[in-house]
Amino acid sequence: MKQPIKKVVIAGGGTAGWMAAALLKKVLQQQIEVELVESDDIGIVGVGEATIPPIQVFNQYLGLDEAEFLRETNATIKLAIKFENWKVPGESYYHTFGAPGTQLGFCPFQHYWLQAKQAGMPQSLWDFDLNYLCAEQGKFNIVKTPNPLYEMPYAYHFDSGLYGKYLRKIAEQAGVVRTEGLIEQVFQHPISGHITALQLKDGRQISGDLFIDCTGLRALLIRKTLGVAFENWSHYLPANSALAVASERFAQTLPYTRSIAHKVGWQWRIPLTHRNGNGLVYSSDYLSDDEAYQTLMGNLDSKPLAEPRKISFQTGRTSQQWCKNVVSLGLSSGFLEPLESTSIHLIQSGIVRLLKMFPHQQISDTVIDYYNADSKQEFETIRDFIILHYHVNQRDDSDFWRDMRHMAIPQRLAEKIALFAESAAIFNDHNDIFRDASWLQVMLGQGIEPRDFHPAAKAVPDAQLLKVLQQIQQAKQQPLAQMLSHDEFLARFTRPS
Ligand SMILES: Cc1cc2nc3c(=O)[nH]c(=O)nc-3n(C[C@H](O)[C@H](O)[C@H](O)COP(=O)(O)OP(=O)(O)OC[C@H]3O[C@@H](n4cnc5c(N)ncnc54)[C@H](O)[C@@H]3O)c2cc1C
């Protein structure tokens, strides 16, 4: 249908809605009108506190001042996730945003590390990772260097409600119109089925050319109105419940998320400047709500600030994330559970994908098909990475972990695991936001020990290799002396000038 896109209507004002409103208006300016409708009665999901490094690009694009952003959202720095008890109870490993070692020769660092280990070197892979070294010591500072050896990528933990409010201020200043009200009815074109207007409880109608469904788990436009199917992934990722509760902050703020596996499911601990975010993610097929409550409240380590709140969900994705004139972003587009903090990133990449192919004159099937294929691939690669954590476990203390170990997994993931186990090789897949350093850390951390590695690493004489690795390890330690404690960094950096 030939219809120029002059007005975009965003249904929903959670993280997804305000991220979309702010960036669309920033990029397209007076080329489009943007109106956002949200219901104060419904409110937002109110979780989603951990991010991954590309959020920095999003914030920079909006022109946010980093110190102001940290202040406005009670944010802290995230260098990694520490996975505790995932392989077996009592053991832990980090998935950092850094990369271990450095490029040494033909093959990636892990091959040289494996050779050195065989020659007697005791250091773990993580001893060569600056993110890990800082995380362990609770240190941080912004490292600006052209030397890749000292790169230290980071993300944030923040209060998602405050982030939404902050983005709202920016979006409204840029000209986005906010309308408060409950959407009760959705009108469609009788022939094309395109959405033409939203009707609010008080009778007001909001019409538009392109609609963005940011109504969260309700998926009011894409699924309820247009009837797009939900692709259920609970056979891979059976978590369907979360209990979330805030607790008092600790004296020392960790620069990483803790992910603590329990007999069933896992618990997040996310440090903000004013409190800790905590939650237990579990499957109700394996754990009752009462047991979940006991597990969460018995493992808080600081005083709860409220009673836990239950959130129910289903893992999977909306099978067509763009249908007719509706694009779904955020929880309406799917949810993979929060294990690797990828939902806010998926919102970001959805907005960027939409902007790259923004249909100014008309919405074509070509554009829709490309958008859908690209986002499907992105969701699937993240899904596979999350399954990896659950599937490759050695726990024997519950049916949950045994079932995870024995479940059928996607072919691509099975091949990736087999290749690494056989040869220590990892190849980056198109559209996978998790690059080889991430896969490496989780595969090793979960207990896969490669049976072999690249011959190029074996070609280096042991004495020479050990010396080089020792030099790298020393070099990685060097910046630590100039680092501040995480709390000191936050206090200094966010102090208003
Ligand atoms: C347990 C859990 C933990 C999570 N942890 C993380 C994490 O650590 N990191 C991460 O990246 N992501 C995380 N997420 C995901 C993250 O919370 C979401 O991706 C993010 O908050 C975006 O939500 P949303 O904007 O899509 O939905 P919501 O926040 O639910 O917003 C929906 C909006 O739609 C409006 N609305 C709905 N229906 C109507 C109606 N009829 N009329 C008018 N308005 C309506 C609501 O008022 C609201 O404004 C987590 C999710 C869950 C469930």
Side-chain angles (χ1 to χ4, degrees):
M1 192 168 78
K2 183 136 177 124
Q3 180 178 357
I5 308 300
K6 293 286 182 203
K7 180 167 175 193
V8 176
V9 175
I10 299 173
T15 311
W18 285 112
M19 283 176 78
L23 197 66
L24 283 176
K25 196 64 188 166
K26 170 86 184 178
V27 174
L28 296 169
Q29 302 190 22
Q30 72 283 6
Q31 294 294 310
I32 54 159
E33 269 180 74
V34 179
E35 182 167 357
L36 182 146
V37 192
E38 63 177 319
S39 159
D40 287 345
D41 288 346
I42 293 181
I44 60 169
V45 69
V47 277
E49 299 173 327
T51 59
I52 57 175
I55 186 86
Q56 286 187 29
V57 181
F58 186 84
N59 285 352
Q60 280 160 12
Y61 209 85
L62 286 178
L64 306 189
D65 174 72
E66 191 176 16
E68 183 185 87
F69 154 78
L70 288 166
R71 266 196 311 274
E72 292 272 337
T73 61
N74 291 340
T76 66
I77 299 297
K78 176 178 170 190
L79 291 169
I81 302 176
K82 185 178 184 186
F83 287 96
E84 303 172 30
N85 308 335
W86 277 82
K87 178 183 150 196
V88 284
E91 283 191 28
S92 63
Y93 70 93
Y94 284 79
H95 168 203
T96 78
F97 297 132
T102 188
Q103 189 66 38
L104 281 179
F106 175 78
C107 49
F109 182 76
Q110 73 261 22
H111 298 273
Y112 298 99
W113 171 74
L114 284 164
Q115 166 68 14
K117 217 164 83 119
Q118 216 168 63
M121 187 197 65
Q123 275 79 19
S124 84
L125 185 84
W126 287 270
D127 289 323
F128 298 87
D129 180 337
L130 189 53
N131 279 54
Y132 163 78
L133 297 170
C134 281
E136 272 282 273
Q137 297 188 21
K139 289 184 166 187
F140 181 73
N141 212 341
I142 293 174
V143 179
K144 288 200 170 107
T145 167
N147 185 346
L149 203 61
Y150 299 124
E151 274 173 13
M152 194 166 66
Y154 63 94
Y156 312 106
H157 307 113
F158 58 59
D159 180 321
S160 59
L162 293 178
Y163 188 54
K165 283 189 183 139
Y166 184 40
L167 293 184
R168 174 181 162 188
K169 195 164 68 183
I170 283 155
E172 286 187 313
Q173 275 164 4
V176 171
V177 174
R178 172 189 185 258
T179 299
E180 198 285 320
L182 184 79
I183 304 162
E184 269 201 341
Q185 215 184 330
V186 180
F187 295 108
Q188 289 175 268
H189 188 278
I191 298 168
S192 69
H194 280 215
I195 290 180
T196 52
L198 310 178
Q199 179 160 303
L200 307 187
K201 196 177 175 185
D202 62 11
R204 278 175 296 168
Q205 279 193 11
I206 297 162
S207 54
D209 307 308
L210 179 71
F211 288 78
I212 304 190
D213 187 347
C214 296
T215 59
L217 293 168
R218 287 178 169 75
L220 184 65
L221 308 187
I222 197 87
R223 296 213 291 267
K224 287 224 176 80
T225 306
L226 298 186
V228 173
F230 184 75
E231 201 179 324
N232 185 339
W233 285 341
S234 53
H235 51 293
Y236 292 136
L237 297 171
N240 57 15
S241 308
L243 274 186
V245 69
S247 68
E248 283 179 355
R249 70 180 294 271
F250 298 125
Q252 195 202 352
T253 315
L254 297 177
Y256 57 85
T257 305
R258 287 179 67 194
S259 165
I260 308 153
H262 292 298
K263 210 167 162 186
V264 175
W266 65 277
Q267 178 182 348
W268 77 76
R269 185 170 298 160
I270 297 178
L272 305 182
T273 55
H274 61 311
R275 60 166 165 82
N276 277 313
N278 308 276
L280 186 81
V281 177
Y282 60 101
S283 161
S284 55
D285 294 343
Y286 294 86
L287 197 72
S288 70
D289 289 350
D290 280 351
E291 290 169 311
Y293 182 94
Q294 300 305 335
T295 306
L296 176 65
M297 299 306 265
N299 288 284
L300 281 188
D301 299 337
S302 70
K303 201 172 145 213
L305 298 173
E307 271 299 297
R309 194 164 57 90
K310 183 173 176 195
I311 303 159
S312 300
F313 57 84
Q314 200 173 35
T315 56
R317 61 183 281 278
T318 299
S319 57
Q320 270 179 289
Q321 291 168 334
W322 185 338
C323 176
K324 300 185 188 291
N325 64 339
V326 176
V327 179
S328 59
L329 291 174
L331 294 171
S332 70
S333 70
F335 185 49
L336 295 172
E337 80 138 88
L339 187 60
E340 281 284 355
S341 333
T342 41
S343 286
I344 294 173
H345 177 76
L346 284 166
I347 299 170
Q348 172 179 345
S349 67
I351 302 167
V352 170
R353 187 178 294 117
L354 170 63
L355 273 168
K356 279 186 181 160
M357 47 180 64
F358 195 80
H360 199 214
Q361 288 309 320
Q362 65 174 336
I363 296 170
S364 77
D365 287 345
T366 317
V367 163
I368 293 179
D369 290 348
Y370 186 83
Y371 183 98
N372 284 333
D374 209 44
S375 60
K376 176 176 190 283
Q377 208 172 35
E378 188 174 35
F379 263 74
E380 284 178 351
T381 54
I382 294 175
R383 174 199 67 190
D384 291 357
F385 188 56
I386 296 177
I387 297 172
L388 170 71
H389 301 62
Y390 281 105
H391 179 63
V392 184
N393 80 79
Q394 297 172 15
R395 293 186 63 133
D396 216 9
D397 53 334
S398 70
D399 284 345
F400 174 75
W401 291 105
R402 280 188 288 273
D403 288 353
M404 291 294 96
R405 190 160 58 244
H406 294 123
M407 73 178 163
I409 56 171
Q411 176 73 9
R412 190 191 78 105
L413 174 61
E415 285 166 6
K416 220 161 163 117
I417 293 173
L419 183 66
F420 182 71
E422 198 175 299
S423 63
I426 306 167
F427 291 97
N428 291 325
D429 286 309
H430 173 65
N431 242 340
D432 188 350
I433 53 166
F434 292 107
R435 311 312 286 168
D436 52 358
S438 292
W439 283 86
L440 172 64
Q441 294 176 66
V442 177
M443 288 205 269
L444 277 178
Q446 291 291 140
I448 304 177
E449 290 178 13
R451 294 188 289 280
D452 198 5
F453 50 89
H454 202 280
K458 298 176 190 170
V460 187
D462 281 352
Q464 191 187 332
L465 183 62
L466 292 174
K467 196 165 160 216
V468 171
L469 289 201
Q470 194 188 19
Q471 284 165 351
I472 295 171
Q473 204 213 344
Q474 281 165 358
K476 289 274 182 179
Q477 301 268 352
Q478 238 172 33
L480 287 173
Q482 283 101 54
M483 295 284 169
L484 303 171
S485 80
H486 182 207
D487 284 304
E488 211 176 335
F489 165 80
L490 291 170
R492 281 198 205 178
F493 188 72
T494 61
R495 195 175 296 142
S497 52

